[in-house]
Amino acid sequence: MIKKEEVYKIGRIGKPHGVHGELQLQFSDDVFDAVDADYLVLDIDGILVPFFMEEYRFRSDEIALMKFCDIDTEAQARELTGCDVFFPRKLAAERTEDVSWAQIVGYSLIDEQTKRTIGKITAVDETTVNRLFEVVTSDGNDVLIPASNDLIVKADTIGQTITMRIPAGLLDL
């Protein structure tokens, strides 16, 4: 059984494409192409289920047309519409040099100066000019931390931590 902490979200299944079971995959991370993975994990009613990829092709920078093994009709494909798509952290960590923004959701954020764990990264907000980490602190507060490459000291994929130089006073806001 696949556990939620073993995967990270990379996209969502869109509507079927054609009548032979092909689907639109709306993705935020194309790691499945970069590491030559065999499968993706779909959230089916709260259960994480691996689906082996038969083939895929890119339609744009954010959409791939995906064909899963044993999904051969439009009706079967339609049942998967709206499912969140995840990728195994282990495969991403073993085979890629760079960590993607989507991959670090769930990582612990550590202050370089104090060596203290600030909290868990719950999302990466890329809707503004400056990318932000949305973090839930150990005392349950939500904070936004600038996700500037200048502030990131280290990303540890094994320990699932990000160490940052957090500007003085930022956590007091």
Side-chain angles (χ1 to χ4, degrees), residues 8-88:
Y8 67 97
K9 186 177 176 182
I10 63 166
R12 187 174 190 86
I13 298 292
K15 63 184 180 178
H17 181 81
V19 296
H20 298 290
E22 199 170 40
L23 292 154
Q24 289 187 27
L25 167 61
Q26 301 158 343
F27 62 90
S28 58
D29 187 341
D30 66 353
V31 66
F32 61 93
D33 187 53
V35 300
D36 195 28
D38 294 328
Y39 67 96
L40 297 175
V41 178
L42 275 59
D43 183 335
I44 310 286
D45 298 325
I47 299 170
L48 298 175
V49 181
F51 278 79
F52 287 86
M53 296 181 285
E54 192 172 301
E55 64 182 2
Y56 61 88
R57 63 187 189 279
F58 291 97
R59 190 171 198 180
S60 71
D61 289 343
E62 298 173 349
I63 294 178
L65 298 177
M66 180 70 61
K67 174 71 175 77
F68 291 117
C69 295
D70 300 322
I71 303 296
D72 298 315
T73 67
E74 181 183 1
Q76 288 174 317
R78 191 169 304 286
E79 290 180 25
L80 301 177
T81 297
C83 289
D84 287 335
V85 180
F86 297 85
F87 194 79

Side-chain angles (χ1 to χ4, degrees), residues 109-167:
L109 183 66
I110 299 172
D111 182 5
E112 179 194 37
Q113 185 176 7
T114 65
K115 308 295 185 227
R116 194 179 108 225
T117 299
I118 304 303
K120 288 262 189 217
I121 299 171
T122 57
V124 179
D125 182 352
E126 297 185 73
T127 61
T128 63
V129 174
N130 298 314
R131 185 176 289 119
L132 300 168
F133 290 146
E134 296 177 21
V135 178
V136 174
T137 63
S138 48
D139 57 1
N141 293 323
D142 293 325
V143 294
L144 297 174
I145 307 284
S148 166
N149 287 332
D150 296 338
L151 299 176
I152 297 173
V153 177
K154 180 180 168 191
D156 177 2
T157 57
I158 305 297
Q160 295 188 1
T161 62
I162 298 286
T163 303
M164 291 185 69
R165 268 183 236 102
I166 298 176

